[in-house]
């Protein structure tokens, strides 16, 4: 029966995770969950076990997620009365078994944190596989949503992107599942986020002069995914304590903080080496990758002031100016990907030279990828 709490209804915006379209809906709270009323469709009932309660944002904004539908979001912008929050807090509570698993992982990880100062790089590499995907995957999605921009859904373009991802993955596969998408945003950049989430901003594809250049960028980001560099960055800069705060629903704050992190120079070199190897294995020249990096180097600094750290690091994770600083850093690929001297030459020497090999995509596939955001 409907809850007697007043008010028992709220307006919301639903994102189904399949398209970029936002659906205006009306919510009705019941004793067992929510009923979603659509303008032109039958109502949908969701139980509390279907829902995951996200962070409360500015103005009382609350985001609800679906336990079995990645990308599904129900955004309630007008705030929720306390009776609603009291019932919705039941949603997304970690099961005792899950808590026990994370507790065991944390015990192992915490035991090694004190050794970071003695052998930090080796230890973070060793600990990176222990960070549970149950944490990194939703964190990566939260980070991608924090960056904004609508996902591009051109079917032919996504097929071309998926083809490149398969071509550039090792025969034995990557270290974990990967999801590569293009986001419509005027930024010349690409990012490997936690949980195998790779985001390529549309302006990067617009400014690329060939499919080989996009393939080089994608191969580099897949290198970060394969070597779990995001996990290493989280451990190195945040430690396990802040990660475990997500058990209390602090995922949004962790996402904001993690956006400020960058990969180490060693990680960038490792990603370059991975890219050169995979491009050569696929029969694609590294000349496109070298050309893109060289061209972007002239549009931004060679590296951030301190190995990928933002000048704003050290402020509160929830500080809006800190998040804005992070977003501004994503202006060019060069601003977030340190380019040591001779990087282009190293890439050329490590792979197939220009004129050898085959194009990363055929002309039709390249055109489809360039038009991937046109179908929105």
């Amino acid at each position: 029966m409907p809850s007697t709490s007043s008010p028992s209804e709220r307006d919301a915006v639903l994102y189904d995770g399949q398209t970029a379209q936002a659906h205006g809906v009306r919510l009705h709270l019941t004793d067992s969950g929510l009923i979603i009323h659509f303008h032109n469709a039958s109502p949908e009932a969701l139980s509390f076990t279907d829902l995951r309660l996200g962070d409360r944002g500015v103005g009382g904004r609350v985001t609800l997620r679906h336990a079995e539908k990645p990308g599904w979001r129900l955004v309630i912008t007008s705030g929720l009365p306390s009776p609603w929050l009291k019932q919705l807090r039941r949603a997304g509570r970690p099961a005792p078994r899950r808590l026990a698993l994370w507790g065991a992982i944390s015990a192992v990880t915490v035991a090694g944190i004190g050794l970071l100062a003695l052998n930090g790089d080796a230890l973070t590499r060793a600990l990176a596989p222990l960070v549970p995907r149950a944490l990194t995957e939703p964190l990566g999605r939260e980070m991608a949503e924090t960056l904004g921009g609508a996902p591009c859904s051109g079917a032919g373009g996504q097929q071309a992107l998926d083809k490149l991802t398969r071509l550039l993955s090792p025969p034995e596969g990557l270290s974990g599942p990967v999801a590569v998408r293009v986001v419509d945003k005027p930024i010349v950049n690409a990012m490997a986020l936690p949980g195998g989430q790779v985001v390529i901003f549309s302006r990067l594809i617009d400014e690329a002069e060939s499919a080989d250049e996009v393939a080089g960028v994608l191969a580099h980001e897949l290198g970060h995914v394969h070597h779990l560099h995001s996990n290493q960055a989280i451990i190195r800069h945040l430690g396990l304590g802040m990660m475990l705060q997500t058990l209390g629903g602090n995922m949004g704050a962790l996402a904001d903080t993690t956006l400020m992190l960058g990969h180490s120079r060693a990680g960038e070199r490792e990603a370059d080496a991975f890219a050169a190897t995979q491009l050569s294995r696929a029969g694609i020249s590294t000349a496109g990758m070298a050309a893109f990096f060289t061209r972007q180097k002239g549009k931004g600094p060679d590296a951030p002031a301190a190995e990928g750290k933002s000048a704003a690091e050290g402020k509160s994770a929830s500080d809006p100016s800190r998040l804005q600083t992070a977003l501004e850093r994503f202006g060019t690929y060069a601003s977030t990907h340190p380019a040591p001297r001779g990087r282009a030459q190293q890439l050329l020497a490590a792979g197939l030279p220009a004129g050898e090999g085959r194009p990363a995509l055929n002309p039709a596939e390249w055109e489809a990828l360039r038009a991937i955001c046109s179908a929105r």
Side-chain angles (χ1 to χ4, degrees):
M1 62 179 289
S3 170
T4 57
S5 302
S6 180
S8 62
E9 294 189 348
R10 268 295 190 273
D11 290 320
V13 178
L14 174 66
Y15 300 88
D16 60 16
Q18 303 299 316
T19 67
Q21 185 176 358
H23 304 276
V25 298
R26 186 76 173 168
L27 304 180
H28 185 85
L29 181 70
T30 71
D31 291 333
S32 59
L34 294 176
I35 298 177
I36 303 178
H37 296 273
F38 298 88
H39 294 303
N40 299 310
S42 300
E44 177 182 359
L46 296 174
S47 70
F48 287 123
T49 57
D50 294 324
L51 300 170
R52 296 293 180 264
L53 178 60
D55 295 331
R56 298 179 65 182
V58 177
R61 166 180 159 167
V62 172
T63 299
L64 299 177
R65 302 185 187 282
H66 199 288
E68 298 180 355
K69 297 180 181 180
W72 188 97
R73 287 180 297 146
L74 190 61
V75 181
I76 307 167
T77 58
S78 58
L80 292 178
S82 56
W84 282 57
L85 288 173
K86 183 177 180 180
Q87 294 199 57
L88 287 171
R89 282 195 184 102
R90 288 187 282 164
R93 247 181 222 170
R97 184 177 178 184
R98 187 177 181 187
L99 283 172
L101 174 62
W102 287 14
I105 293 171
S106 68
V108 173
T109 308
V110 168
I113 293 298
L115 300 176
L116 283 172
L118 299 177
N119 197 3
D121 287 344
L123 188 58
T124 54
R125 284 196 298 271
L127 293 176
L130 300 179
V131 181
R133 187 171 177 84
L135 168 63
T136 60
E137 187 173 19
L139 173 59
R141 291 199 303 267
E142 186 82 25
M143 290 171 64
E145 291 170 5
T146 300
L147 291 171
C152 299
S153 56
Q158 187 61 50
Q159 290 172 2
L161 193 61
D162 293 342
K163 174 185 174 180
L164 282 180
T165 303
R166 291 191 299 270
L167 281 175
L168 299 172
S169 297
E172 68 277 11
L174 295 165
S175 60
V178 63
V180 183
R181 56 178 161 171
V182 176
V183 169
D184 192 4
K185 201 170 181 67
I187 296 175
V188 184
N189 217 318
M191 303 179 66
L193 304 174
Q197 304 289 317
V198 175
V199 175
I200 301 174
F201 295 112
S202 58
R203 181 66 66 80
L204 185 148
I205 296 176
D206 293 342
E207 294 205 1
E209 296 181 356
S210 69
D212 287 8
E213 294 191 3
V214 175
V217 170
L218 177 57
H220 179 91
E221 300 306 326
L222 291 177
H224 286 310
V225 170
H226 187 62
H227 292 292
L228 300 175
H229 289 156
S230 292
N231 291 15
Q232 294 180 37
I234 293 171
I235 295 171
R236 184 171 59 247
H237 291 273
L238 302 181
L240 188 66
M242 185 172 290
M243 289 192 296
L244 294 180
Q245 289 180 23
T246 59
L247 293 174
N250 199 28
M251 184 67 75
L254 180 56
D256 290 354
T257 302
T258 309
L259 282 173
M260 305 303 294
L261 307 182
H263 302 302
S264 68
R265 288 188 183 276
E268 293 295 335
R269 288 192 295 268
E270 198 169 31
D272 275 356
F274 176 93
T277 297
Q278 297 309 313
L279 286 167
S280 299
R281 187 187 63 80
I284 302 169
S285 172
T286 53
M289 181 180 180
F292 182 83
F293 285 170
T294 299
R295 199 163 63 248
Q296 293 304 313
K297 183 179 177 181
K299 300 179 181 180
D302 282 356
E307 299 225 349
K309 294 181 181 179
S310 164
E313 189 166 336
K315 294 183 181 179
S316 166
S318 61
D319 182 352
S321 64
R322 186 168 192 248
L323 177 57
Q324 183 60 36
T325 301
L327 294 173
E328 290 171 354
R329 288 180 62 231
F330 303 139
T332 68
Y333 204 74
S335 67
T336 51
H337 293 74
R341 187 182 301 276
R343 184 182 191 187
Q345 288 77 9
Q346 292 168 3
L347 288 170
L348 291 171
L352 299 174
E356 295 190 16
R358 62 181 184 81
L361 297 173
N362 64 41
E365 291 169 333
W366 174 227
E367 286 305 312
L369 181 56
R370 289 178 63 83
I372 188 172
C373 293
S374 304
R376 285 202 311 104

